[in-house]
Amino acid sequence: MRAVARVVAVADRRGRTVLRELRGESPLLLRQAAAEQSVPTVYVVGGAAGPLAGDDLRLSVEVGPGAAVRVRTVAASVALPSRAGAVSRMRVEAVVHGGGTLHWLPEQLVAAAGCDHVAESRVTLAEGARLLWREELVCGRYGEPAGDVVVATSVDHAGRPLLRQSLAVGPAAPGWAGPAVLGGAAATGSLLVVGPAAASGPATVDGGGQPRGRVLPTGPGASAAWLPLAGGPAVLLTATAADAHTLRTLLTSPAAPHTPPGGAAGEKGPGEGPHRPTARTGADAVPVA
């Protein structure tokens, strides 16, 4: 199956965001939902099972100057096997112009046993663009081994490379479950924040005045770390966990209070200081622009 979907958000003369284009094909059906904190929200609704091996799915998002949009999915995406030797692909391309804001907050990608799937994301940010980009991967459904999945993310900011990240799991990726990669964790993910909110992350400063990352406290069987990125106001939170729920708890924004699983309520967030205002929807906490 082949499908193409596209979202284009622009600012009108009053500075309000208008969805100029909202077009999809099964299984990439797009539906506009109620705005969250005055930001239009678009849901990707799966019109069919999958992705199945052999599927080629493409989604593009463009955010104009001064516009803002939040993209979610209604459920986890389960990569499934189909005919032997076939690979499924999901490609997301996003362009955010100066002064634009994109929150990409889909549910998890699940690597079902026997699947062979490639998830590729390419993001282009202009100077002054803001981004909140979350990716989560669950290695297999309950009680089954993981299939083969490659998750590759490429982000450019102001004409320069900001992030190049790739992860392969499953039988075709030797050592993926070992201590050098996931260390036996069943779920892993990352949260990339680009813009002023990145400054509230927990980066420490070394003797030369350069920011460096920090490992965050977590519960048993989980790990998380903040990494400041060169090339712009950007930080990357990466985490591993035993399950999807714990992973989502760890992948909160740098502006949100961060409580490790089993930790006391009211603990300081990663920045260990005053927090920017946030809007919380479900398990997500995102900075208020």
Side-chain angles (χ1 to χ4, degrees):
M1 180 180 296
R2 295 177 180 270
V4 176
R6 180 168 171 78
V7 180
V8 178
V10 298
D12 63 15
R13 294 180 179 180
R14 297 182 180 181
R16 297 176 301 187
T17 298
V18 177
L19 298 180
R20 174 179 291 174
E21 187 174 354
L22 194 64
R23 172 171 53 88
E25 301 172 333
S26 184
L28 297 178
L29 302 178
L30 305 179
R31 298 291 184 266
Q32 184 174 357
E36 302 174 18
Q37 294 293 301
S38 300
V39 176
T41 300
V42 174
Y43 276 86
V44 181
V45 181
L52 294 170
D55 287 354
D56 187 355
L57 311 177
R58 296 173 183 264
L59 171 63
S60 65
V61 181
E62 183 174 358
V63 184
V69 69
R70 182 175 289 113
V71 181
R72 298 183 180 274
T73 60
V74 296
S77 177
V78 183
L80 297 168
S82 182
R83 63 183 187 273
V87 178
S88 58
R89 299 180 183 277
M90 174 66 185
R91 180 170 180 173
V92 179
E93 293 187 349
V95 176
V96 186
H97 297 271
T101 300
L102 172 61
H103 290 174
W104 174 259
L105 298 167
E107 295 304 309
Q108 300 87 358
L109 169 62
V110 181
C115 75
D116 192 352
H117 181 68
V118 176
E120 182 182 10
S121 300
R122 294 186 178 180
V123 184
T124 302
L125 305 173
E127 185 74 42
R130 301 187 184 196
L131 179 70
L132 189 69
W133 189 275
R134 185 180 68 206
E135 294 179 321
E136 296 171 303
L137 174 64
V138 179
C139 302
R141 293 172 292 190
Y142 180 77
E144 73 174 11
D148 288 314
V149 168
V150 175
V151 179
T153 306
S154 172
V155 182
D156 289 343
H157 178 254
R160 298 175 56 191
L162 177 68
L163 177 67
R164 299 290 187 269
Q165 179 171 273
S166 181
L167 172 67
V169 304
W176 68 272
V181 188
L182 296 189
T188 184
S190 63
L191 182 75
L192 172 65
V193 183
V194 182
S200 63
T204 58
V205 178
D206 62 20
Q210 298 298 317
R212 53 189 175 86
R214 179 186 300 179
V215 176
L216 303 180
T218 63
S223 63
W226 276 110
L227 300 173
L229 302 181
V235 291
L236 180 69
L237 169 62
T238 58
T240 62
D243 55 76
H245 175 74
T246 303
L247 179 66
R248 180 64 60 84
T249 301
L250 294 172
L251 292 181
T252 55
S253 81
H258 177 86
T259 303
E267 290 182 11
K268 294 288 187 180
E272 296 183 348
H275 301 293
R276 288 166 46 84
T278 61
R280 184 174 294 274
T281 302
D284 300 315
V286 297
V288 175

